[in-house]
Amino acid sequence: MGAFARHFQELGSALMRRAETAAPEQAGIFAGVNPATYDPSDPIKVWIIQLIVIIAMTQLLATIGSQIRQPRVIAEVIGGVLLGPSVMGHIPGFSNAIFPTASLANLTLTANIGLVLFLFLIGLEVDVRLLKRNVRSSMAISAAGLIIPLGLGAALAIPIYHEFIDPGVKFGQFVLFVAVAIGITAFPVLCRILTATRLLDTTVGVVVLSAGVGNDVVGWILLALTVALVNSGSGLDALWILLTAAGYTIFLLFPVKWAFRWAARRSGSLENGKPTLSIMTLTMILVFFSAFFTDIIGVHPIFGGFLAGLVIPHDNGLAIAILEKIEDIVAVVFLPLYFALSGLKTNLGTLNTGKTWGYTILIIVVAFFSKFLGCFTAAKLTGFNLRESGAVGVLMSCKGLVELIVLNVGLSANILDTRTFSMFVLHALVVTFMTTPLVLWILPEKYRTRDGPILTRDLPAARDNSPQAEKDVNGLEDVFKSRFAVVLEKMEELPAVMTIMQLLRSSNPHAAAFADSSSNGHEKEKGPEIQPELSYDADFNSSRKPVSIQALRLIELTERTSDVLKSQESASLVQSDPLISVVRTFGYLNKVSVSSSLNILPFEEFPHYVAKHVKETSSQLVILPWSGSGEDVVLSSATRSSPLTPFEKLFGNQSSGRDTAVVHTQFIRRVFNETPADVALFIDHGLSESYPGHSAQRIFLPFFGGQDDRLALSFVVQLCMNPSVSATVVRFNKVDTLTPNDSIEEEKAHAHQLHALSSPHNSAFPDTIYGARDTQTRLASDTADNMLWDRFTRNFDPEVADAVNRIVFSSQSSTRPLHSILEVATAVINQYSSHSRVMVAVGRSRRMAVESHSVELRELFSERGVAVARGANVLVSDVSQAAAQKVVDEITKAGGKAVANTNNVVTDGAAIVKAAVDAFGGVTILINNAGILRDKGFRNMTDQEFDAVQAVHLRGAYSVSKAVWPIFRKQKFGRIVNTTSAAGLYGNFGQTNYSAAKMGLVAFTKTLAREGAKYGIKTIAIAPIAASPMTETVMPPELLAQFKPDMVAPFVLAVTHPDGPDANGKVYEVGAGYCAEIRWERSKGAIMKPDASFTPSAVKANWAKITDFTDADHPAGLEDFNPQAILEVALKVPTNVQSSPEVRFDGKTVIITGAGQGLGRAYALMFSRLGANVVVNDVSEKGANAVVSEITDAGGKAAAAVTTAEDGEGIVKVALEKFGGVHVLIANAGILRDKSFTSMTDAEWDAVMAVHLKGTYKCVKAVWPIFLKQKYGRIVTTASQVGIYGNFGQANYSTAKAAILGFSRALSFEGRKYNILVNTIAPSAGTAMTSTIWPQEMVDAFKPDYIAPIVGYLVSDANEETSGQLFEIMGGWAAQTRWQRAGGHGFPINKPLTPEDIVEKWDVIGNFDDGRATHPSTTTEAFEQMAENFANKVGSSAHADPEDSELVAKAKQVPIEPQTFSYTEKDIILYNLSIGATEQELQWTFENSEDFAALPTFGVIPQFETSFTIPLDWLPNYNPAKLLHGEQYLAIKAPIPLSGETINEARILEVLDKGKAAAVTTVVETKDKATGKVIFENTSTVFIRGAGGFGGKRAGKGEFYAILDPDAVIEEKTLPTQAALYRLNADRNPLHILPEFAAIGGFDKPILHGLCTMGIAGKHVVKSFGQFEDIKVRFAGVVYPGETLVTEMWKEGAKVLFTTKVKERNSIVLIAAGATLTNPGGALKAKL
């Protein structure tokens, strides 16, 4: 007898025993009975406890899993494993209390009952009709997905059997069992994964589902075979079992199935698609008898349940109906019980060896790839592409439910033991878990192909076939609709749909007799007007287009099996669905054409599909029904059970205390937003209980005007074409009140005009905004309102005369029109409700050129107790569809409203803005944030990399801003935020392209700020540092964690808010909670006499004044500069003093672009006078040759290069051919294309950018290799005051000039070490270019000759250090300009930042006068102040660490005795040798050398012995062999004596608990014993493995050095004896000499001391850049003696950043390392 039968027998025996015993006490817990104690005679209490625990665990995990689209089976299995011995079984007493062994029999019985039912449901899911769909592909995939896995599974079974299985298990049975376990596909899980991934209606989904059916059926047959063989005692028994099972299967599938169909038809269940009670009884008997029979013949009972499912017919949805009655109890109760039992049998603790895990991984690999490769190949051969084939392979590999059932069968049959069972359970979990993410990755939405057309069914209906039916009669077709789409989702919506269909019946000209002909619609109503009953048999013969209705039936696709089945049988559902059937029948009876469509899809896709359907069917109006109770909208206060609509909360219908239907509201609002046609929401409350029996309708329409109100009026008139419909239409006009208070409130409301006022129901979706509220729009709208009003009240068409006669039109003025509407509506209801059903029609918009009702609406909300919220609509633009959609999904999931857009900002700015206007009706804020990085050293940068960055950053910002500008101007409001960068502000190594683009955006911002101010348009620039995919490439994760985008976004919100602070034209640095404004600061400069004595030598004599920022100015624009005053002073100063020697350029070749006239000509003449060879470049051949002639006539040397500035190579070629070299470049070429931003063309923008920016780049690019090779070069680029401060009408010019400044600053960092100096000037001089915008007297006064001397000094040898700077020059005056940053404000980084926080500290953020202002000149300096805010956390000061644990606090109190250390020249030589100094480097190895010195890292030696005295044995499990050096910082406070005696004082600085390790940071100060002066300060961090877990703080302060392309690289091979040599300095740790001791630490052999590695790297820094005053390294790996070290170094100002790696293993050993040079401006090589 089978196990299932035995369980029933045991249960019966237990019941008999219980009946024979005395009844237990019934007082329960009141009698002291513990309900958790298992009693075999009363097991239900413990069973219920077990059930609750299992269901709770499963539901918790399922909720988590649903967020990552994992099927519920994953949660059920993991829940079982957690409850079993693997996890919670380790809790003392848990298993005995919750799952006592004696109780498992009851749990097993109920679980097996559920399992039988579940397999019955699986049988129901198997529809052989599916096999007919894509039969070729399905059969091929199914066969490949079985044959290959079965073969590989059998092969895999061989080693597993010999390694893990008891020899008592028959080898053949085990092989067959493993083959089946590997080969089977979980069809139920497959269905749910297809649902979750939205693949059910794709070609891939259909084929996989078909293949899964075949795979499933064959798999169950093989399982039955396996069980039969296991349960048989001999081969003959097995044969009998199989023959009996086969005979029983045939018996069920033919006679029994025919009999069941006959019974279902006889009872009416088959025709109705709903099983009667008798059929359900018969079904349950069939299921359990079948399970019983297959159990007693030796096959598992689940096979009987599965066979019973195959018997049920699928006609008319009968199988679905039976499924719906059973599936929830099975899914919620029985299946979790079964998987909990599986978990109780699973013990992952048995997977405790490497071999076990190796085989587990092998099982996973074989199971996945055997399925994947077979199915992938089959799919590819049958016509699928690579992505689709990959998805098929992944989907067919899923396991889950069926796999676990198979494994449990194997466990109960003793084929598997607990360990192998756990191995296979884990493999099933992993493979199933992988399926969903892999499918979504391989086959995203954009690559999917849908299977087949939309399911539709058109039925004939009565229609007007007259020739005039399709003609435009009397112009009514422009206002009346004929094609309607009605969305059907629920049965409750049918009355609303039927009502609207009845109202839409065409008018009958002969029906006038039914109306009261004496009624005049233009007179006041005198009393109740009795309307005729609706006539159902009238034959209307209107000449207008007949009304047609598209009934769209939407069914939500969930994870329920019944929904999956419905999706498979949707072709039949479109004919049998009751909602569609009712609508079609009702349409036929009312002579309305009805066509129907049905689709089954996830609820979130409903709005999108509605929009798609409307577009395909060309519907003119979409009607969304929302059913309610049988009362009128406005006045009802009855308690109802239907969903609460948005209006009911406002109108008081909440007495039942129900919540509003938020989800449905969002669906409706999304339909409003996404649908291309007009949309109407029809809220139907049904009929009241006191319905008198009439069918007349009265409609009330309040008309304000605007697009939506006009649609509402036209629709009401169209409905009144039905003789049983009448209406009251009141045109409301808002008038100003006489009290001043209301006027003030109106003004306040107007200030908030741009806030999207959301409905009281849901704050996530603001109202539609149709256009600006300006005079032009208002006039156009009023005209359209008046025309439509007159059309229906005065000059109406004859065809609508009857309809208009049933409408009462009137007008009313009110100071509180919304309250007046409610009063009129109440009067209408009171007057007509006794004999007519009253309806209210309203237009949705409140803002299209109509009076604002914000104040009154808020007042109404307040009176009714309704809360109001606000929110922005967001268009997320990104070239990556996936990235954009991910952000949109985040917004919508949080209740917001957003759409994705993938247009390119460079070329499609207008399309981006149009998408926003189409989606939301307008644009109010633009964030120009698009960007890319193409970082590379300038020598290696390509033109494409330079151009790409300019295109995205500059052209993209221009393109989108240009598109949005007319909208902002028209609505007189707009906010633009341009995203610049610290690299743009200060320049950065390897980012000349990026720095140029980002600095260009600063001037672009300042210019737009000036042009937009009078239109209410404000433009702001921010330089944020925040984690992003772009910054991930240059910042480590620990640093990115500090720079959360959440700390930047609130700042943007604050400055873009209509009532936000005025930041127009300003620049801010934001990041890590720190916010500060930056502004230009200009020195007073020097004024020199503009005469012959104004030379580069005179400039040199005045250079200190030019760069003196004492009493500096802070100009905000050109208006803050008085050139006339400067010129007056310059003319009065004495003759300029000349420096000595004279600044000359003998033998130097100077290239000057744009030198045919103006500034360039002045430069050329000056350089020739001072001995230079001059290359005169200009596009004008005449101009260039004229200047060359001037020079040669005066005895100078010059050559013309007639070409554009963009032909840098051509210009340089002339210099090389004529003079043999190039030494100086003056990039001066330029053009003007001044025009307001509104009128500027793309061609004008591009032309200016090409000549100025691209021309400068190309010229520099051409000379750069020459300058690098000769290690000399001078470059001056030309910006402009317009580029610094911005100027009206010069958006292109200012942007280009500022971009040149950013380019030059970045270039200066790269050129400095090659003696290439780069500076930028902003000259103001009278030239041909400025003559178009300057008065003539200024052009004459400010000669170009007064600019040239400054340029001459900057490019001379006399300038040895000035580089990367900006100078403003005019009329003998020159001044340096730099950035000044306000002290700013740092917000706590562990507290959410809000816009309100920003506003509160606004004065501090922009305060330059509190003594905290700084002048950062590099990105590193800019970053440091932000980094200081890392420690700013709520609850601690900016400089305090978190509180130490008691253990650490005590350790810090232990005094550490100072230690002395003496050394001589011998010790210095030993140290230098130990870090690789050679006999050829006498300055480090010979004491009598003039330059003999210690290498700077010698500073680590004196502290060694002291650091050893710091006690660490208070740490738990302290083992010195497990100590590793983590970080070392050495500061050299004074010159290093060649010998001496020092005192070393130590203290513990910080101790961190890293869980499995401790990190201890100590500080040792080394002082000269004689003077007490500090020479060295060492900060060391060591890691002690295994010493953590003591409860200390887990994180400390971190530092970061940006890593860029290296400036210098040194490679050095260490000696095999290096470790032995280095330990002679002081550290005698045996880790560096004894192999046995190294092995204890986990190393293959003794390792090199970390400080030795640091010393070698420090030596590399000295060799490359000179001495340093401090050095810090972080130890990231170990070095074995004899390996080669490679140090890569980057110089940034006074800092040298470096990393060191082992060449042989390509393993980094020193990271985040840096040194501060003592003489950063000195020679690059050490001179010791």
Side-chain angles (χ1 to χ4, degrees), residues 351-409:
L351 309 183
N352 54 5
T353 66
K355 184 177 293 185
T356 306
W357 280 105
Y359 272 100
T360 304
I361 294 171
L362 181 62
I363 293 171
I364 294 171
V365 171
V366 171
F368 177 78
F369 283 101
S370 63
K371 280 279 188 181
F372 177 83
L373 294 176
C375 296
F376 172 86
T377 304
K380 193 73 182 72
L381 293 176
T382 53
F384 287 94
N385 60 37
L386 284 176
R387 285 186 176 273
E388 292 172 334
S389 301
V392 168
V394 172
L395 286 165
M396 289 298 289
S397 69
C398 73
K399 301 295 182 185
L401 292 168
V402 181
E403 170 90 358
L404 290 164
I405 293 170
V406 172
L407 294 177
N408 275 281
V409 171

Side-chain angles (χ1 to χ4, degrees), residues 44 91 108 278 420 486 526 545 756 784 822 1090 1109 1176 1213 1339 1438 1465 1498 1512 1565 1701:
I44 191 168
I91 300 174
T108 302
S278 61
T420 50
V486 178
K526 299 180 180 179
K545 288 183 180 180
L822 297 182
F1109 282 90
V1176 179
K1213 183 179 179 182
V1339 174
E1465 293 173 342
F1498 175 79
L1512 297 176
E1565 282 188 342
K1701 63 182 178 181

Side-chain angles (χ1 to χ4, degrees), residues 82 174 226 256 315 464 528 533 548 606 839 917 925 1128 1502 1544 1608 1615 1701:
L82 292 178
F174 180 78
T226 305
V256 174
D315 306 55
D464 185 358
E533 299 296 310
S548 63
F606 279 14
M839 302 172 64
V917 173
I925 297 170
E1128 289 175 6
N1544 295 273
L1615 300 172
K1701 63 182 178 181

